[in-house]
Amino acid sequence: MFNIVKKEIEWGHDTLSLETGKIARQADGCVIATYGETSVMAAVTYAKSPKPGQDFFPLTVHYNEKYYAAGKVPGGFFKREARPTEKETLTSRLIDRPIRPLFVDGFKNEVLVICTVLSHDLENDPDVVAMIAASAALTISGAPFMGPIAGARVGFVDGDYILNPSVDDMQDLKNNPEQRLDLIVAGTKDAVMMVESEAYELSESEMLGAVKFGHEQMQPVLDLIVSLAEDAAKEPMDFKAPDYSDLLARVMTLGEQKMRDAYAITDKQERTSAVSAAKEAIKAELSEEDLEDANLGTALKKLESKVLRGDVVKNGKRIDGRALDTVRPIVSEVGLLPRTHGSALFTRGETQGLVVTTLGTGDDEQFIDALHGNFKSNFLLHYNFPPYSVGEVGRFGPPGRREIGHGKLAWRALQAVLPSNTDFPYTIRLVSEITESNGSSSMASVCGGSLSMMDAGVPLKAPVAGVAMGLVLEDDGDFAVLTDILGDEDHLGDMDFKVAGTEAGITSLQMDIKIAGITPAIMEKALEQAKAGRVHILAEMAKALTEASEFSEHAPRIETMQIPTDKIREVIGSGGKVIREIVEMSGAKVDINDDGIIKIASANGEAIKKAYEMIHSIVAEPEEGKVYKGKVVKIVDFGAFVNFFGKRDGLVHVSQIENRRLNHPSDVLKEGQDVWVKLLGFDDRGKVRLAMKMVNQETGEEETATEGAE
């Protein structure tokens, strides 16, 4: 009934297996990849013909995690997996980016790739496994896919690269000083196609070494996929790229000069209008048959590409007249918004981001329900890209895949320089509002985010800047690396290469390569040029701010205190009674974790002090010989009981009330009276012994007196 084909190898610290022929047999290709006990099923289907008039490639990748994979039940009211989590969205993009350029030019049939996590061993992250499964499923599907690709995760410990480190090792690099890198690299046998990373100020050579290491280590996986395809691949689709050479020649003849004139305009809005006008002028001279040709859009894009790329490589001339390694003019401003905790406006040419920082307490941490367990995040970065930022009318609503991806890239770049939670116990939320865009707005978010946090008083280890690099590589091997690319240079170039970091090193690297010819020498050149650009941008940012500002008066103040874990129950009280009383009486927010770390937050310093004292009185032990303020709670014949240290009571014997003989304690005391007492010690039964007579009841200061004086 089943025609099962299974291949496996030992890879890194576990066994990697690929299996097809048993499940989802009606899909064009379905492979279950298993690494350790983490299994992902990738199913591929593709339309056998394109939609009429379609001039783009409609590839869709969906990665979805099933809670049953880790033996969990989803949260929420419906107890069912709902909209994609951030991890699912980011992994879908991670798989899409390296496979998209590898479909044959001219293929515009709809392709759907669905990756489903079936089992998770809580050690091996499913993202790389899903990438391998998707590649294998495409390779055996018969689609015109020029793969396969493979992926690998790379860690970096004590100068050594680690293949496929565990989920726990990569979970929170900020609190794991041994781990300095979480990098995913994807590629074909001969070329790197994609890099995504989070790093802790690694040098350019260390980052390049990690990319090379990952590419070397994935080679056995590529051989495994080829081996599977040899036994299980379907007949290749009979696809021939459409021949539109005659149409392209006419478009080139009619429009090359018009397009050159349009791209000679340096202002983006004027240039965009001129390019549109040039296209319309070309169309006006074409025949009806040419206008109806589905390849007209592709031909026009080829014309744009030739004009843009030829000038860059041959003449070193860019659209806006800059040199290849020049960064556009930068203006940095901080403190724009009076009521926010921190704000910055970062403008680089025609790209601008307004980034706002809000400081919150432990209650504001984001609770993340992940397959490998639940955890909290105290650093949030949200990126918004409204249509007006590019002068367009369009969809405005919840964040899409692009917004989530760009926000995560900026998050990775900045989180490496955040202070530890013990030094700065705040939840930090950054919101980047992209108000103009022509070039990398994610890198503008990094620069603006760094300034905004410093404006809010966050003591960053060092400022961070980011720059987007581009590449134009010609067939003869000539190439040009571009610093601070424009939008058009991104769309028509061969590589999008984003590097962020401090002066000391790289904190994030993202690379998307659209062709299979990038050499290590080209990547090295791009990294060197990016470092120069980053250092220049940091110098421009320093004109606005170089270190953390004073705290905003509107931001909460937070103090932390550590208590013994066996005292946590006393501070919380039965049903939370005690901690609610502390919050109500002090006016401060109080948050306590399982390690006994308490955060007390309020914009009012007196509220923090009061809450601190109340908690201290519960968990601390009274010290012998010290003076405390107390309240008389009961009077008896032989003395008075005084509540003096939180809930603690002690006895002031009648002989210790005043330096004279009293007939009865009620002669001078009454219940509810505030008094100053000195802790004399404890009797044989552990009872507290207090005294009043040697303490000035007005000032609370201890006095020298003759004990027992009448």
Side-chain angles (χ1 to χ4, degrees):
M1 185 174 182
F2 300 118
N3 183 20
I4 299 172
V5 179
K6 185 173 181 179
K7 305 285 182 176
E8 64 180 39
I9 57 170
E10 290 301 313
W11 187 44
H13 55 79
D14 257 318
T15 301
L16 173 67
S17 69
L18 302 177
E19 180 180 306
T20 187
K22 187 174 183 178
I23 297 178
R25 291 171 295 161
Q26 294 184 50
D28 291 306
C30 179
V31 172
I32 296 178
T34 302
Y35 189 51
E37 292 183 340
T38 293
S39 295
V40 181
M41 177 176 66
V44 170
T45 46
Y46 62 94
K48 303 310 178 277
S49 60
K51 291 180 181 177
Q54 190 164 266
D55 67 346
F56 67 95
F57 173 40
L59 167 67
T60 307
V61 178
H62 291 287
Y63 165 89
N64 59 101
E65 296 178 334
K66 298 299 183 181
Y67 277 72
Y68 58 68
K72 294 177 66 177
V73 175
F77 184 80
F78 295 105
K79 298 296 178 186
R80 179 173 183 152
E81 291 89 354
R83 67 187 183 89
T85 63
E86 184 177 276
K87 168 70 184 289
E88 289 173 309
T89 298
L90 293 170
T91 306
S92 298
R93 283 170 54 87
L94 203 65
I95 298 167
D96 182 302
R97 285 156 49 195
I99 64 175
R100 184 176 290 273
L102 293 176
F103 283 85
V104 172
D105 277 345
F107 184 70
K108 295 184 172 63
N109 301 22
E110 187 170 2
V111 178
L112 177 63
V113 180
I114 298 177
C115 299
T116 306
V117 180
L118 303 178
S119 175
H120 188 7
D121 61 11
L122 309 184
E123 181 181 352
N124 297 297
D125 198 308
D127 53 7
V128 170
V129 184
M131 187 183 294
I132 293 168
S135 170
L138 281 165
T139 303
I140 68 170
S141 69
F145 174 66
M146 299 181 296
I149 64 147
R153 174 173 264 105
V154 180
F156 187 62
V157 181
D158 295 331
D160 294 324
Y161 298 113
I162 311 296
L163 175 64
N164 296 333
S166 70
V167 170
D168 285 344
D169 284 341
M170 297 292 98
Q171 176 57 40
D172 191 358
L173 293 186
K174 182 158 62 78
N175 295 322
N176 191 350
E178 290 184 356
Q179 296 286 350
R180 296 184 59 209
L181 176 68
D182 181 3
L183 178 142
I184 294 179
V185 57
T188 62
K189 194 159 193 67
D190 300 317
V192 171
M193 300 301 297
M194 186 276 299
V195 176
E196 184 77 50
S197 69
E198 170 187 331
Y200 280 74
E201 296 184 291
L202 266 64
S203 69
E204 279 68 18
S205 62
E206 287 170 336
M207 288 297 286
L208 186 57
V211 174
K212 290 178 180 176
F213 174 83
H215 190 242
E216 290 166 4
Q217 295 297 318
M218 72 175 66
Q219 296 304 313
V221 180
L222 292 163
D223 294 337
L224 183 70
I225 296 173
V226 170
S227 175
L228 180 79
E230 286 172 349
D231 293 343
K234 296 182 178 177
E235 283 298 314
M237 178 187 184
D238 185 18
F239 173 77
K240 291 181 181 176
D243 180 8
Y244 59 95
S245 55
D246 291 343
L247 173 62
L248 180 59
R250 285 192 290 277
V251 167
M252 291 286 185
T253 302
L254 291 170
E256 184 167 349
Q257 191 55 51
K258 295 182 179 70
M259 200 61 76
R260 287 193 183 281
D261 293 342
Y263 271 109
I265 300 170
T266 56
D267 180 78
K268 180 192 173 184
Q269 299 289 355
E270 292 180 26
R271 181 173 64 251
T272 302
S273 298
V275 169
S276 296
K279 288 179 181 177
E280 291 304 317
I282 295 167
K283 290 178 183 178
E285 297 184 51
L286 292 173
S287 66
E288 286 295 323
E289 184 181 352
D290 288 339
L291 292 173
E292 291 175 6
D293 193 318
N295 297 296
L296 177 57
T298 306
L300 289 169
K301 186 174 180 180
K302 288 273 188 186
L303 170 61
E304 287 187 77
S305 180
K306 180 187 176 185
V307 169
L308 176 95
R309 296 164 62 90
D311 270 358
V312 168
V313 176
K314 291 183 178 62
N315 307 319
K317 182 183 176 185
R318 299 172 68 175
I319 300 172
D320 57 1
R322 277 183 293 151
L324 300 181
D325 60 353
T326 302
V327 178
R328 288 170 289 175
I330 290 172
V331 177
S332 302
E333 303 170 65
V334 295
L336 281 80
L337 308 176
R339 291 288 300 194
T340 61
H341 299 162
S343 59
L345 184 69
F346 180 83
T347 308
R348 186 190 63 240
E350 295 165 310
T351 298
Q352 184 182 74
L354 174 64
V355 189
V356 182
T357 299
T358 307
L359 301 177
T361 65
D363 290 347
D364 300 311
E365 290 181 336
Q366 183 180 14
F367 188 84
I368 298 172
D369 185 12
L371 270 190
H372 57 269
N374 301 334
F375 60 95
K376 290 182 176 181
S377 174
N378 69 337
F379 178 49
L380 319 174
L381 194 152
H382 298 142
Y383 165 101
N384 299 312
F385 191 87
Y388 65 75
S389 65
V390 287
E392 293 179 358
V393 182
R395 169 189 170 276
F396 181 72
R401 285 188 173 191
R402 182 183 185 280
E403 283 83 357
I404 291 170
H406 280 51
K408 189 65 175 181
L409 174 58
W411 181 94
R412 288 190 179 105
L414 290 166
Q415 63 94 37
V417 298
L418 294 177
S420 69
N421 201 27
T422 51
D423 294 337
F424 192 76
Y426 290 83
T427 296
I428 304 169
R429 183 192 184 220
L430 286 181
V431 179
S432 177
E433 307 284 1
I434 301 304
T435 48
E436 292 182 32
S437 182
N438 181 19
S440 179
S441 51
S442 61
M443 295 298 96
S445 299
V446 171
C447 301
S450 180
L451 289 168
S452 177
M453 284 194 288
M454 289 193 291
D455 184 51
V458 180
L460 300 183
K461 294 171 186 173
V464 179
V467 63
M469 310 297 292
L471 173 76
V472 176
L473 176 64
E474 297 291 57
D475 294 336
D476 60 6
D478 284 348
F479 70 92
V481 175
L482 313 180
T483 299
D484 181 23
I485 54 174
L486 303 172
D488 289 332
E489 291 171 334
D490 182 6
H491 301 150
L492 301 174
D494 297 316
M495 179 175 71
D496 178 14
F497 193 91
K498 296 185 177 76
V499 191
T502 65
E503 280 200 40
I506 296 170
T507 58
S508 185
L509 169 66
Q510 185 186 81
M511 185 164 61
D512 290 314
I513 299 170
K514 304 165 191 174
I515 56 172
I518 307 297
T519 64
I522 293 175
M523 284 194 283
E524 189 172 354
K525 163 73 173 168
L527 280 168
E528 286 176 5
Q529 199 165 310
K531 182 178 183 180
R534 185 172 83 242
V535 170
H536 168 75
I537 294 169
L538 284 167
E540 293 298 303
M541 290 165 55
K543 294 176 182 177
L545 201 59
T546 55
E547 59 184 21
S549 301
E550 290 293 319
F551 242 51
S552 165
E553 62 182 76
H554 306 298
R557 265 61 176 170
I558 298 180
E559 282 194 21
T560 59
M561 63 187 297
Q562 175 84 52
I563 66 169
T565 53
D566 59 356
K567 297 284 188 181
I568 294 174
R569 183 176 294 180
E570 292 180 38
V571 175
I572 294 174
S574 176
K577 179 182 177 183
V578 175
I579 201 165
R580 283 198 303 271
E581 185 178 314
I582 294 170
V583 170
E584 289 169 8
M585 291 182 66
S586 68
K589 290 175 72 174
V590 179
D591 177 62
I592 183 168
N593 70 15
D594 294 339
D595 297 323
I597 296 173
I598 298 178
K599 296 177 184 177
I600 309 168
S602 175
N604 184 338
E606 285 300 315
I608 292 176
K609 182 180 178 183
K610 187 169 185 180
Y612 185 97
E613 289 173 349
M614 292 176 74
I615 295 168
H616 186 265
S617 70
I618 295 171
V619 301
E621 297 295 335
E623 295 181 36
E624 192 172 321
K626 272 202 164 188
V627 174
Y628 298 96
K629 189 170 188 178
K631 189 182 292 288
V632 177
V633 292
K634 188 177 181 181
I635 296 176
V636 293
D637 291 341
F638 51 84
F641 287 98
V642 175
N643 175 226
F644 73 102
F645 194 83
K647 302 296 183 184
R648 288 176 175 77
D649 292 343
L651 173 67
V652 181
H653 191 267
V654 65
S655 64
Q656 297 293 332
I657 295 175
E658 286 193 351
N659 286 312
R660 63 188 179 92
R661 187 181 299 277
L662 297 175
N663 292 324
H664 196 273
S666 58
D667 292 347
V668 294
L669 297 175
K670 58 184 178 182
E671 290 184 8
Q673 182 177 339
D674 289 333
V675 294
W676 290 97
V677 293
K678 179 180 179 180
L679 176 57
L680 298 179
F682 306 89
D683 64 19
D684 295 340
R685 293 175 296 169
K687 301 288 187 181
V688 178
R689 295 190 301 113
L690 303 173
M692 290 173 53
K693 64 185 182 181
M694 67 284 292
V695 184
N696 186 312
Q697 293 300 310
E698 295 292 328
T699 64
E701 294 180 2
E702 189 174 353
E703 296 176 340
T704 303
T706 305
E707 192 172 337
E710 295 293 325

